[in-house]
Amino acid sequence: MRRSLPPLLIAGLMGLGALAAVVAGMLCTGQAAFVVTHGVSMNPLYHQGDLIVLTREPVYRVGEIVAYHDRGQDIVVLHRIIGGGPTGYEFKGDNNESIDPLRPHGDDLIGRAALHIPQGGRWFDMVTSPMGLALILLAITAGGGTAALTRRGRRRDRRRRSGPKAPADTIPTRSSTAPRTTVSINRMSPGLRATAGAVAVTGVLGAVLAALAWTGPVEHLKAAPPLPSASMTFGYSAQVPATAAYDGRTVTSPDPVFRRLTQTVDLSFAYQGRPGSVVVAAEASTASGWRTSIPLIAATTFTGDRYDGVVRLDLNAIDARAAAAASVIGLPVGSVTIVVTPRVTTAGGATFAPVLRLTLTPLQMTVVGAQKALVVRDAPVAQQPTLAPRSVQFLGRTVMTAGTARTVSTAVILAVLLIGAALMVAAHRSVALSEGAGIRQRYKALLMQVEPMTAPPGPPVVNVTEFHTLARLAERHGLMILHWSRSDSETFVVQDEGTTYRYRTEAVTASAAEELRV
């Protein structure tokens, strides 16, 4: 006979199944792994035989306990990170005095310790040992064999009951303990059916969301866009008298500045890029090795993405300093190289320091590199990837972050299990069975359906007030309960040594009371 599982047991099995599916998905996709500890290198945190569940992470930090492959010895090591980075991590066991000799790279790392099950490895080894697998196989085989024997026994009983010549006193005794009432979808009320359907759909959606959330990390490395490139545009100008040397009264870059016509030059620079601060200095040097610094603009902070500045160069003053140095060291001055450097430091700490090289001789000042030297561009600054929450996508659309999806899916699955268990209990209680239907379902092993029979003359008829009394009488004497139905009642009869015992589910009229069909 069949037995229906209790609702709470079914809910627990469903929960274990969902958890097993999620864990299996993580193991299959490589997002999770497990190790069994050996040795004492991580005492007192971990001990021999503990089971550690690992989760793969996009980045690992100092202080985390991480497992890595020691390919030289073909083993897995579970120690704590104490330094280094993706190009080479430093590991050390909590109970070790020395640092691990290996510096594994990021590709050699298996995962971070996420769950600790004390002595779980011993149970795992027992279950997966040949003896454990044999016991599991024996249990499955024994369970299957028992079920098969039970099914064969039921078939024999049905053949005995259905035989036309089997006397009532040869029917074996049956237990009056019948299976619990099972509830099918068709027998639920419309409201319960609609609710059960909605819960089932919600459970499927929760399982899909859990699979998407738990088969990947909560965070992942996200490539940061490069910082915009910076540029510096240099220029200079000087006022000169009207002569045949120039077409006008202003000389501009990149034309040479003849010193006989002017000794001062206004040097301009235009910066384009991220805001920050700027300081401008110049350096004068000669071929003899002499050099000197000339501050032009002190540190100035600006907030926009553009800064324009102008500094004045006194060519005579620079030449005089070079001549004074040459007289001391006894070497000729020659030409003087002037390097102007506006140094920009952005708010993020990046530095952009373009230079403009000028050559100063007794006759003129010229720019080194001509026109192309007046514009200097900085390459886009590459940024380090940053940790960002991983998004869960469904049908090409972002649903939510993986962390939120894990919380939501767990809550949905738990809610579905609880509501499903409550629905099963409510369905059992809400199914309205007539008295006759309840007896037929509960005691069907003792019942034999017959054609309606009339009352025999002579033998007494004893009406019992409870069907349970009739069932006990049939069990005690190994008899079957004869059963037939009419429009207004159902009749159950046991015949024992000339006495007929009868139970009817509903009251009948006086004329019908005389009718007992034997």
Side-chain angles (χ1 to χ4, degrees), residues 110-136:
I110 302 174
R112 177 181 60 85
L115 179 62
H116 174 209
I117 305 177
Q119 300 303 299
R122 298 183 185 273
W123 290 100
F124 179 79
D125 291 339
M126 291 173 58
V127 172
T128 56
S129 65
M131 180 61 70
L133 294 176
L135 290 175
I136 294 175

Side-chain angles (χ1 to χ4, degrees), residues 254-494:
D255 295 338
V257 177
F258 297 108
R259 297 182 60 186
R260 179 173 289 188
L261 300 179
T262 183
Q263 293 294 333
T264 58
V265 177
D266 292 328
L267 178 66
S268 64
F269 59 95
Y271 166 77
Q272 186 76 34
R274 292 186 298 158
S277 63
V278 60
V279 58
V280 184
E283 183 183 78
S285 62
T286 62
S288 63
W290 170 83
R291 66 183 64 248
T292 185
S293 296
I294 307 171
L296 299 176
I297 296 179
T300 304
T301 302
F302 60 96
T303 57
D305 59 357
R306 183 179 178 87
Y307 182 83
D308 297 294
V310 178
V311 295
R312 173 160 291 187
L313 298 178
D314 187 341
L315 304 183
N316 274 341
I318 296 173
D319 198 18
R321 293 183 64 175
S327 64
V328 172
I329 61 178
L331 294 174
V333 176
S335 63
V336 179
T337 300
I338 304 172
V339 179
V340 181
T341 306
R343 183 179 296 274
V344 179
T345 304
T346 63
T351 301
F352 177 44
V355 298
L356 178 66
R357 297 181 181 275
L358 304 171
T359 300
L360 181 64
T361 66
L363 296 179
Q364 63 182 359
M365 184 200 78
T366 56
V367 59
V368 178
Q371 179 69 39
K372 64 180 182 180
L374 298 178
V375 179
V376 181
R377 299 186 184 278
D378 189 22
V381 179
Q383 298 191 86
Q384 292 292 332
T386 58
L387 275 177
R390 182 176 66 89
S391 298
V392 172
Q393 295 187 344
F394 184 70
L395 298 179
R397 295 187 177 182
T398 299
V399 179
M400 60 186 72
T401 63
T404 303
R406 289 186 178 187
T407 302
V408 172
S409 62
T410 302
V412 168
I413 291 176
L414 290 177
V416 166
L417 294 177
L418 293 176
I419 295 175
L423 282 176
M424 293 179 66
V425 174
H428 275 279
R429 294 180 177 178
S430 64
V431 174
L433 296 176
S434 65
E435 184 183 9
I439 291 174
R440 289 195 306 274
Q441 190 168 33
R442 182 173 178 80
Y443 296 98
K444 63 180 180 180
L446 294 174
L447 300 181
M448 176 181 290
Q449 186 78 21
V450 298
E451 293 293 329
M453 302 185 304
T454 55
V461 177
V462 179
N463 291 314
V464 297
T465 59
E466 294 182 355
F467 182 84
H468 182 65
T469 303
L470 196 67
R472 291 180 61 185
L473 181 64
E475 288 182 331
R476 182 179 304 151
H477 299 285
L479 302 175
M480 297 297 294
I481 301 176
L482 307 181
H483 163 250
W484 65 87
S485 301
R486 297 193 325 171
S487 60
D488 58 348
S489 67
E490 296 189 43
T491 303
F492 302 88
V493 171
V494 171

Side-chain angles (χ1 to χ4, degrees), residues 68-77 79-85 87-92 98-105 108-109:
Y68 67 87
H69 289 288
D70 185 346
R71 304 189 186 279
Q73 303 184 49
D74 194 22
I75 60 173
V76 174
V77 180
H79 283 171
R80 192 182 301 275
I81 297 177
I82 62 172
T87 58
Y89 289 94
E90 290 186 357
F91 281 87
K92 178 181 177 297
S98 59
I99 299 174
D100 294 3
L102 292 181
R103 291 177 61 92
H105 295 244
D108 295 324
L109 304 188

